Amino acid sequence: MKTVFGISALAIATALATSPTATAQTLDTPAARPAPKPAAPAAQASRGEIIVTAPVRQSETDVLQGTSILSGAELTRNLRPTIGETLARQPGVSATSFGPSASRPILRGFQGERIRVLTDGIGSIDVSNTSVDHAVIIDPLLAERIEVLRGPSALLFGSSAVGGVVNVIDTRIPRTVPENGYRVNGIASYGSAANERSGGAAGDVAVGEHLVLHADGSYLKSGNLRTGGNILSPEARAAARSQVGLPQDTDEPIDFARSASLRGKLPNTQSETWTAGVGASVITDTGNLGISYSHYDSLYGVPIRYATEVGQEQEAPRLDVVQNRFDLRGEINTGGGFLDRIRVRAGHATYRHFELEPDGGVGTAFFNNGTEGRIELVQANRGGWQGASGVQYFNRLFDVNGDEAFLPRNETNQTGLFTLQQYSAGAFRAEGGLRYEHTALDAKTPLDDLRFFRGTRSFDAVSGSLGGSYGLTDAVRVGVNVSRTERAPSAEELFANGGHAGTQAYEFGSPDFRLEKSWGLEGTLHAHGDGFSFDASAYYNWFSNYISENQVAQDVCQLAADPSGREVDLPCFQYQQADARYYGFEANASVRVAQIGGYLINADLLGDYVRATIVDDGPVPRIPPMRVLGGIEAQGDRVNGRLEVEHVFEQDRIAAFETTTRDYTMVNATIGFSPFGKDSKTSILVSANNLFDVEARRHASFLKDFAPLAGRDIRATLRFGL
């Protein structure tokens, strides 16, 4: 595959070198075209933005599955230090919320291996899918836009994207030649809940007619997160109080009474992160070819999982994270005919993080070297028929060293072939996709380690989808899609057998797992007109061999650990396979309710719900409850104001080892200024989030009983551009 990438890049470079004289204009491609100005939350603007993530140029309203685009003022308002928290107010999206520094998106109740988080179409090449305490190595401060694509079309990016794809698009590899020869964009922000100070800047400069150079950087520093209400949930407080006065069997007795009364700040949640990157692109009117290098460096703590029973350990791990990454992106317009353009995208990264002990020593070390690339051949539109086909390759070499290594050294090789075909005839549109994927997972276990499987598992998976939509009127379109997906188990699901301090859990899988398979059915409705907008999706998924992680009796883990002579003193979690059912909906609507002077008054409402069940067992653990969010916004040329209320319902449909999560209501208010007019790149945003300082917990979080969400958070953000 490295040879294929090299040949493709060389072909693009040759074509660029021999192309006619270039002009300093944007290429006529969805990937190169500047993002349309963001649609306002209300419907006076069209929501038909181009989906850059899609391999074939599509409007947001034409995609058969639920999609979301976050850009412009909406991205600035929702921006947080993690991708998960930045997207948490989008329909159908929640977050893992393992403290303020490690929060990965959850789409339709799916997380981990069923969600792909991409940077400009290529995976983040980290270990965030391995465990919820591991951060996603993508900096939201440098994002130009974020796209969320749910449903089966996301399978074009891998079988592990059955739940959806989050694609963060930045400017590290320039797509256009600056009109004035240069451009600069920057952001600075402050958040009171964690004394968070952050800033980032990116700049491009043209060198001659075709070459554009890029540089960017960011910095974030925060203290311990201040929360609303109690640190421990009512159930955890009751458990801690029940231990008061009992004899302790630890060298350092734990003050259970103090733990039960904790309020305010979350200890060990401070962080410091910086990034730097450079890039360069050759851009002509027939194509582009660019490369980049980036460095990510972070030190952050994860919330303490407080001991609520005699004999439990109470650790406060910190993670020291470094990633170095190289990327390549190229595209060439072939001039029409059957093939319209060729795209190539590749990335390689070396990643490591150390889980630090209280004395600063390294307890466990994680190393991950990854390479991913894809080539897409995009067909020209001929009589309403268009499509894209390609090949994708992924390699990961993953190693965990230390006393709490819960995985053997392992390597994953995955090759996928995919095609997406679309047909349009008047009001009717049809879409079909097919993906074949071969995955080989090799556990490189030392002969003397009897805990782990040693050898190779390989899987061949075939996934496909077929759907259609019909325009009832110019403003209303309905669609339906059916899909069949297959997913190979991950190395963690197959080979895990050990304790993990970050999550305070002993985890083990099974090397005998089979392909996870599912059928999916989804219906969509889009309605967009002058002054209104409505988008809704309803879905149902039938899984066989569904893999879930469930808490089991302690002696099960002790039996798994016996060959190594280890004593298991952590909660025991086992990956298991069974049939499962997921169904739910997500919807969002907006309407212009009035115009007062120069201000448009818009109201919007979104809601989502998912219900997930393991057949003959009960609820799937950590499923977000139903949620509704409503807002009213006044939009003017220079001043915008917004007030919103979010209510998250109680989650009492729980797995055997879970506790109920109480409902909560948050109120947020924002005012934004554009001092030089709405077309200026300079804006100031001031917001008050969780205005009434309520105690709030996300049911999907492993730490929800020990780490609530942020309390009242006053944020100020300055964005500028030249």
Side-chain angles (χ1 to χ4, degrees):
M1 288 303 299
K2 291 181 180 178
T3 303
V4 174
F5 294 149
I7 292 173
S8 299
L10 180 60
I12 292 173
T14 303
L16 292 174
T18 58
S19 65
T21 301
T23 60
Q25 62 184 9
T26 303
L27 296 172
D28 187 20
T29 72
R33 188 176 292 109
K37 291 182 180 179
Q44 86 278 7
S46 169
R47 291 186 59 86
E49 292 198 71
I50 298 302
I51 304 295
V52 175
T53 303
V56 178
R57 184 180 188 271
Q58 293 186 87
S59 164
E60 178 189 359
T61 56
D62 293 338
V63 177
L64 289 179
Q65 297 80 34
T67 61
S68 299
I69 298 175
L70 202 58
S71 62
E74 189 179 5
L75 174 58
T76 302
R77 183 174 67 243
N78 289 284
L79 196 64
R80 298 295 184 274
T82 64
I83 296 297
E85 298 303 319
T86 298
L87 294 173
R89 290 190 176 96
Q90 299 303 301
V93 183
S94 186
T96 55
S97 300
F98 204 89
S101 299
S103 189
R104 207 170 188 264
I106 298 173
L107 307 182
R108 295 181 171 178
F110 296 111
Q111 57 179 295
E113 280 298 321
R114 298 180 186 89
I115 299 296
R116 289 221 68 196
V117 181
L118 311 176
T119 174
D120 200 10
I122 291 293
S124 53
I125 312 182
D126 51 32
V127 295
S128 62
N129 63 316
T130 301
S131 180
V132 288
D133 64 316
H134 302 161
V136 178
I137 309 304
I138 297 176
D139 188 356
L141 282 172
L142 299 174
E144 184 178 56
R145 61 194 264 136
I146 304 174
E147 297 181 353
V148 181
L149 183 62
R150 309 169 189 85
S153 286
L155 291 172
L156 292 176
F157 296 91
S159 63
S160 60
V162 62
V165 161
V166 173
N167 192 17
V168 182
I169 299 163
D170 58 30
T171 60
R172 187 158 281 155
I173 300 179
R175 293 180 171 86
T176 61
V177 178
E179 291 183 5
N180 300 319
Y182 69 92
R183 57 180 163 236
V184 178
N185 293 285
I187 185 170
S189 182
Y190 173 79
S192 66
N195 192 26
E196 173 196 320
R197 297 87 75 197
S198 63
D204 296 337
V205 60
V207 180
E209 291 185 277
H210 311 310
L211 178 63
V212 181
L213 303 181
H214 171 93
D216 63 60
S218 68
Y219 178 78
L220 179 146
K221 187 171 185 177
S222 65
N224 288 329
L225 181 70
R226 195 188 67 80
T227 69
N230 292 289
I231 299 297
L232 300 187
S233 69
E235 291 81 1
R237 294 201 306 274
R241 289 192 183 109
S242 71
Q243 307 297 307
V244 175
L246 294 178
Q248 309 298 301
D249 59 358
T250 60
D251 293 334
E252 297 181 9
I254 294 171
D255 187 345
F256 290 106
R258 180 177 178 274
S259 297
S261 61
L262 284 169
R263 297 177 66 88
K265 292 189 176 182
L266 272 179
N268 200 51
T269 54
Q270 69 282 355
S271 68
E272 185 173 17
T273 301
W274 66 273
T275 72
V278 293
S281 287
V282 176
I283 302 171
T284 76
D285 56 356
T286 60
N288 63 81
L289 178 65
I291 58 173
S292 70
Y293 163 76
S294 60
H295 178 86
Y296 182 101
D297 195 302
S298 181
L299 176 65
Y300 67 90
V302 298
I304 299 171
R305 186 170 187 150
Y306 287 96
T308 56
E309 295 181 11
V310 172
Q312 286 184 346
E313 292 187 13
Q314 188 167 286
E315 297 192 36
R318 292 176 299 145
L319 277 70
D320 180 2
V321 181
V322 172
Q323 185 197 66
N324 290 289
R325 177 173 176 135
F326 296 88
D327 284 275
L328 177 145
R329 185 184 66 235
E331 180 171 335
I332 182 170
N333 188 334
T334 61
F338 175 76
L339 194 63
D340 182 61
R341 63 192 72 246
I342 301 171
R343 297 181 184 139
V344 59
R345 182 73 175 88
H348 172 78
T350 59
Y351 168 100
R352 66 93 174 136
H353 85 246
F354 300 143
E355 297 192 354
L356 304 179
E357 302 287 354
D359 63 1
V362 177
T364 308
F366 289 71
F367 300 93
N368 185 65
N369 289 344
T371 301
E372 183 176 343
R374 56 191 292 122
I375 299 171
E376 296 175 0
L377 307 178
V378 183
Q379 302 157 215
N381 191 328
R382 300 174 64 86
W385 191 287
Q386 61 181 338
S389 302
V391 59
Q392 181 176 354
Y393 174 73
F394 171 72
N395 170 269
R396 182 184 81 157
L397 186 60
F398 184 39
D399 195 13
V400 186
N401 297 320
D403 293 337
E404 294 173 334
F406 65 100
L407 277 173
R409 185 169 180 264
N410 62 84
E411 183 174 10
T412 301
N413 282 285
Q414 190 176 84
T415 302
L417 303 173
F418 60 86
T419 186
L420 175 71
Q421 300 296 316
Q422 298 176 342
Y423 177 72
S424 299
F428 175 73
R429 295 191 179 110
E431 179 179 287
L434 187 66
R435 181 183 183 91
Y436 164 76
E437 193 170 83
H438 176 76
T439 304
L441 302 103
D442 184 15
K444 303 175 183 295
T445 307
L447 290 173
D448 60 351
D449 195 334
L450 302 179
R451 280 185 302 152
F452 297 124
F453 170 84
R454 188 173 191 271
T456 301
R457 290 294 314 276
S458 62
F459 302 87
D460 293 285
V462 178
S463 302
S465 64
L466 181 65
S469 67
Y470 189 80
L472 302 178
T473 68
D474 289 343
V476 180
R477 176 169 292 275
V478 295
V480 64
N481 193 91
V482 62
S483 63
R484 169 67 171 172
T485 64
E486 296 181 341
R487 180 181 75 89
S490 69
E492 293 76 18
E493 293 165 337
L494 291 171
F495 307 139
N497 190 350
H500 186 193
T503 56
Q504 283 287 284
Y506 190 100
E507 304 172 7
F508 71 100
S510 170
D512 298 324
F513 279 161
R514 296 168 290 173
L515 283 172
E516 181 181 273
K517 302 179 181 181
S518 71
W519 284 95
L521 182 66
E522 180 177 4
T524 59
L525 171 63
H526 299 292
H528 301 273
D530 183 19
F532 72 91
S533 174
F534 179 75
D535 296 279
S537 299
Y539 53 89
Y540 199 113
N541 295 92
W542 298 260
F543 284 89
S544 59
N545 303 327
Y546 176 84
I547 301 174
S548 62
E549 188 179 15
N550 303 289
Q551 190 165 3
V552 294
Q554 207 68 18
D555 58 353
V556 177
C557 275
Q558 191 61 59
L559 182 64
D562 263 347
S564 66
R566 298 188 178 197
E567 182 177 347
V568 176
D569 55 4
L570 295 169
C572 182
F573 287 82
Q574 181 181 20
Y575 289 103
Q576 300 171 338
Q577 278 196 315
D579 293 344
R581 304 288 183 265
Y582 273 73
Y583 65 85
F585 72 87
E586 62 219 11
N588 60 296
S590 59
V591 62
R592 183 190 309 151
V593 296
Q595 181 168 354
I596 303 175
Y599 291 89
L600 296 176
I601 310 300
N602 308 300
D604 55 83
L605 181 69
L606 72 81
D608 49 44
Y609 172 75
V610 60
R611 184 182 178 96
T613 303
I614 298 175
V615 176
D616 298 327
D617 188 15
V620 174
R622 295 176 293 279
I623 295 298
M626 184 173 177
R627 182 256 312 250
V628 293
L629 188 155
I632 188 164
E633 188 165 342
Q635 298 176 331
D637 287 345
R638 294 181 182 271
V639 180
N640 295 306
R642 177 177 174 83
L643 179 68
E644 67 181 25
V645 180
E646 178 185 27
H647 181 76
V648 177
F649 289 81
E650 180 180 69
Q651 181 57 289
D652 57 4
R653 189 175 186 274
I654 56 178
F657 62 89
E658 292 186 291
T659 58
T660 297
T661 304
R662 286 158 175 74
D663 66 331
Y664 63 86
T665 301
M666 279 192 183
V667 178
N668 309 309
T670 305
I671 186 166
F673 305 92
S674 298
F676 307 116
K678 64 180 181 180
D679 295 328
S680 169
K681 294 181 180 180
T682 300
S683 64
I684 302 170
L685 194 75
V686 179
S687 63
N689 302 283
N690 192 2
L691 194 58
F692 297 107
D693 205 28
V694 302
E695 180 181 324
R697 303 175 190 274
R698 287 212 173 97
H699 185 76
S701 171
F702 275 84
L703 280 183
K704 61 99 174 177
D705 288 318
F706 307 93
L709 301 180
R712 184 183 300 111
D713 184 27
I714 309 301
R715 304 186 71 85
T717 303
L718 167 66
R719 220 181 241 285
F720 62 90
L722 300 173

